[in-house]
Amino acid sequence: GYGITALTDYGIQQIGDSIIPYLKDQKYYDCFSKFARLCDSYVTTARTSAPVDIQGYSGIGDVPRIERKAPFNFGSNILISLIIGFIVALIITGAMRSKLKTVRFQAAANDYVNPGSLKIARSQDLFLYSTVTRTAIPKETRSGGGGGGSSTHVSSSGSTHGGGGGKF
């Protein structure tokens, strides 16, 4: 299971790009040796620092180096977001309220209706139109691990699988 963490989609793509020339030249021993060396360096790097991924990649030769990102602090980020949202809402509603200075509260609508101007003789609901709008849900596409991390799926037996593909 640790291979899913150590070998991200980006890492699998990099390894695949490195061994394809050997496969094209039918140098299978060299291809396997390079594959084993790269897998070992990716797993070692993942265990000692963090998995090789899109962000912070500065590989040197067969041994990639990465920089660890600071952890995401949910509590303080949510609090900051709520405070900023509250301030923005106050500003917007304050601007709207300032435009309504001529309107005063009335308990009833009597001031707005002319006496005897409204006579309802008959009341009925009449359905006139129906509009149905259908929008296709776009399917998610991934090209070469563009989002970072590892893409996996869970089989019917409950095991998690991942990997990459390609042709040469």
Side-chain angles (χ1 to χ4, degrees):
Y2 188 70
I4 293 172
T5 302
L7 297 173
T8 62
D9 289 344
Y10 177 78
I12 291 170
Q13 184 69 40
Q14 294 299 314
I15 291 172
D17 291 346
S18 298
I19 64 172
I20 284 178
Y22 296 104
L23 292 172
K24 285 182 180 178
D25 295 340
Q26 296 181 356
K27 296 180 179 178
Y28 302 115
Y29 177 81
D30 294 337
C31 173
F32 179 77
S33 297
K34 177 90 170 184
F35 176 78
R37 249 189 351 266
L38 287 172
C39 286
D40 182 53
S41 69
Y42 277 66
V43 170
T44 302
T45 301
R47 287 186 193 267
T48 57
S49 57
V52 176
D53 209 346
I54 297 169
Q55 298 86 8
Y57 180 77
S58 60
I60 298 175
D62 286 346
V63 182
R65 288 186 313 142
I66 61 158
E67 296 176 15
R68 189 177 290 263
K69 294 191 318 181
F72 186 78
N73 189 343
F74 285 102
S76 65
N77 288 332
I78 289 175
L79 182 64
I80 291 170
S81 298
L82 288 174
I83 292 171
I84 291 172
F86 184 72
I87 291 171
V88 169
L90 281 177
I91 292 170
I92 291 172
T93 55
M96 292 172 154
R97 189 173 183 195
S98 68
K99 293 178 183 178
L100 298 174
K101 289 189 178 195
T102 60
V103 177
R104 290 181 177 74
F105 177 76
Q106 299 291 328
N110 294 336
D111 293 339
Y112 303 104
V113 177
N114 292 331
S117 67
L118 178 65
K119 295 183 182 180
I120 299 175
R122 182 174 65 153
S123 173
Q124 91 179 50
D125 288 336
L126 182 62
F127 181 75
L128 294 177
Y129 303 103
S130 173
T131 302
V132 177
T133 304
R134 293 188 176 132
T135 304
I137 299 173
K139 295 184 178 179
E140 181 178 331
T141 59
R142 293 180 63 118
S143 59
S150 294
S151 58
T152 61
H153 70 278
V154 178
S155 68
S156 60
S157 66
S159 298
T160 303
H161 304 281
K167 49 187 166 178
F168 58 96

